[in-house]
Amino acid sequence: MIPRSLLCAALLWFGMAGVLTGCWDTKDINKRLMPVVMGICKNPDQTYRIILQIPSPEKKGSQYLESSSATINKAIDHIRSKAEKSIDLLHIRLFLICEKTAKSNINDIIDYAVQANDISIKGLLGIVRGNFEQLMYHHVQANPELSSYDFFSEQAGWTPNNTIFRLWEAYRDMKSYTEDMAIPILSKGTDTLYKFEGSAILRKDKIVGEISSDETMIYNIFQEKYTGGTIEVSDQASVLIKKATIRNQIAWAASGPQMNSHIRLNVVISENKQHEAEADISQKLKDLVEMRGRKLIGKLQEEKADSLGVGKYFRSRMTEEQLKDWKLVWFPQLKHEITADVKILNSIYLKTPGKMKNAPQRPDEQNR
């Protein structure tokens, strides 16, 4: 019979051995490099140039590693081979693709990023306009790797005039019959890290056009991603949009698909230098939003790129053949009407002479 003390010692030894075996292949955080931005661009010889931006507390900024190869995976391996630490791609938050590559196709880039086991599909996408290298190495603040992501963060610098687009959405849209992409266009900033220049419209896997920042705002309302923002109604008046919702109604008539989109806006007047009536400001905003909406729809139909994803509303109404032909045949024929309804909130707090005169007096003021 085995002594109890010996049995306990043996069990303790095996338990400790299991714990050590389970953690044996882990790497200390000080032995790892964790890039937050990956830049991808095709060279003239069709090789891929990869630039990784890595936070570097020692340098009080960023460390950059780059390489080129015939495939993205091989270029990453080259970077790993010359790095002094292990490279962990799981923390990449932003993928920047140069414009000339996006005009050719981004299919292989998206496929690589989605199929790689060590890359998060929640990473954001952006398209670089201008000098790719200058933008990637550009820094303004002490921690540019943080401000890079903040430009796309709804809790930081993002505004509804810019799009937010993720890897998994790009992969979905490349395979979809009814949805296309709208990816933000960035250029090198002067006093800031980036300058946004609207959004690129991609059909399948390449750029076919672009929309302005004003039209991007309407796009975000359709995507239900609108979270406030300011619109100049005229040279002397502007409003702050507190809430924006949209309701869509569809029909398929003998002439083809039809859609009515009704946008509801709850706004607060932030500036009114000429003391215009609220009804006039409301009508001007209504006309402005409807005009921008019609312009956006017309541009997308001209490019045959359904970046709004309108086709998904008609999936149940279409046959398989109609579904396959949606972007090239039916979407350009879509009769799409956009209307807007504006509600002005908190007008009692507007400090204009008219409002001050009409404001009710307190009893103690009336007795003076």
Side-chain angles (χ1 to χ4, degrees):
M1 183 174 179
I2 302 175
R4 185 176 180 180
S5 59
L6 183 60
L7 180 61
C8 291
L11 291 174
L12 179 62
W13 186 88
F14 281 114
M16 293 179 64
V19 171
L20 290 173
T21 302
C23 302
W24 197 258
D25 60 347
T26 60
K27 294 182 177 67
D28 190 274
I29 191 171
N30 294 327
K31 302 298 182 183
R32 292 186 293 169
L33 295 175
M34 294 178 284
V36 293
V37 181
M38 177 188 287
I40 306 174
C41 190
K42 274 190 177 181
N43 295 318
D45 60 357
Q46 296 303 299
T47 59
Y48 289 95
R49 184 183 183 186
I50 307 298
I51 301 177
L52 298 179
Q53 186 184 24
I54 305 163
S56 178
E58 297 85 359
K59 297 182 179 181
K60 295 182 179 181
S62 294
Q63 176 183 356
Y64 298 90
L65 295 174
E66 67 169 284
S67 184
S68 296
S69 187
T71 64
I72 300 174
N73 200 41
K74 194 64 177 178
I76 297 295
D77 286 344
H78 287 166
I79 294 176
R80 284 194 166 107
S81 66
K82 62 184 180 182
E84 72 278 10
K85 299 179 182 179
S86 174
I87 295 179
D88 185 355
L89 302 180
L90 185 61
H91 297 273
I92 293 180
R93 294 181 173 184
L94 178 59
F95 291 82
L96 297 178
I97 305 171
C98 67
E99 187 175 21
K100 64 179 181 181
T101 300
K103 286 183 176 179
S104 175
N105 74 79
I106 63 170
N107 182 69
D108 45 358
I109 296 174
I110 302 301
D111 281 346
Y112 160 78
V114 170
Q115 294 172 13
N117 294 326
D118 55 348
I119 293 179
S120 172
I121 60 173
K122 294 181 181 180
L124 299 168
L125 287 172
I127 292 175
V128 175
R129 173 165 290 172
N131 191 297
F132 173 72
E133 181 178 1
Q134 286 183 3
L135 182 137
M136 289 301 304
Y137 284 92
H138 180 50
H139 65 277
V140 176
Q141 301 176 359
N143 293 312
E145 69 283 351
L146 298 178
S147 56
S148 296
Y149 180 71
D150 284 344
F151 274 82
F152 299 86
S153 173
E154 294 181 17
Q155 287 74 42
W158 180 81
T159 70
N161 292 86
N162 305 321
T163 46
I164 293 180
F165 208 75
R166 301 184 183 276
L167 278 174
W168 69 267
E169 292 176 306
Y171 187 80
R172 174 201 63 190
D173 291 354
M174 286 195 310
K175 314 298 181 182
S176 173
Y177 291 130
T178 58
E179 295 184 67
D180 284 308
M181 301 180 236
I183 301 178
I185 302 173
L186 316 175
S187 61
K188 177 184 173 184
T190 51
D191 54 343
T192 61
L193 194 61
Y194 301 135
K195 177 184 176 183
F196 284 90
E197 301 190 9
S199 300
I201 299 303
L202 286 80
R203 185 173 66 241
K204 286 289 186 180
D205 58 2
K206 63 181 179 180
I207 294 177
V208 294
E210 64 181 84
I211 58 177
S212 67
S213 296
D214 291 336
E215 293 162 343
T216 299
M217 184 202 72
I218 304 298
Y219 166 86
N220 280 323
I221 292 176
F222 270 89
Q223 300 300 316
E224 298 182 351
K225 293 180 179 179
Y226 196 90
T227 56
T230 301
I231 297 181
E232 290 186 352
V233 179
S234 64
D235 294 338
Q236 304 295 327
S238 61
V239 299
L240 176 64
I241 298 179
K242 305 294 288 185
K243 184 179 180 181
T245 59
I246 187 168
R247 186 179 71 251
N248 298 304
Q249 295 179 330
I250 64 167
W252 195 292
S255 58
Q258 299 176 354
M259 188 172 194
N260 293 326
S261 297
H262 186 67
I263 299 173
R264 293 179 178 272
L265 301 174
N266 292 343
V267 307
V268 174
I269 300 175
S270 55
E271 287 185 272
N272 187 8
K273 297 179 181 179
Q274 297 297 324
H275 314 309
E276 295 183 65
E278 290 182 359
D280 294 338
I281 294 177
S282 177
Q283 185 62 46
K284 287 182 179 180
L285 179 58
K286 170 183 169 66
D287 295 341
L288 182 64
V289 170
E290 291 177 351
M291 181 270 293
R292 289 179 180 177
R294 289 191 295 269
K295 186 177 179 181
L296 172 61
I297 292 295
K299 188 174 293 186
L300 295 177
Q301 288 182 311
E302 182 180 350
E303 301 295 347
K304 299 180 179 180
D306 188 3
S307 296
L308 295 178
V310 170
K312 64 177 178 285
Y313 295 101
F314 292 92
R315 278 182 171 271
S316 61
R317 307 288 184 95
M318 290 188 284
T319 65
E320 185 176 353
E321 289 302 316
Q322 288 175 323
L323 189 63
K324 292 179 180 179
D325 293 336
W326 169 256
K327 295 178 185 178
L328 298 180
V329 177
W330 298 108
F331 178 61
Q333 297 180 21
L334 173 69
K335 294 181 179 179
H336 197 161
E337 182 180 352
I338 296 178
T339 58
D341 180 33
V342 178
K343 181 180 181 181
I344 297 179
L345 307 173
N346 301 332
S347 59
I348 192 172
Y349 299 109
L350 185 62
K351 295 182 178 180
T352 63
K355 289 295 178 183
M356 297 300 289
K357 290 177 181 178
N358 296 330
Q361 291 182 318
R362 299 196 306 269
D364 58 333
E365 291 178 338
Q366 294 176 355
N367 297 328
R368 291 179 183 176

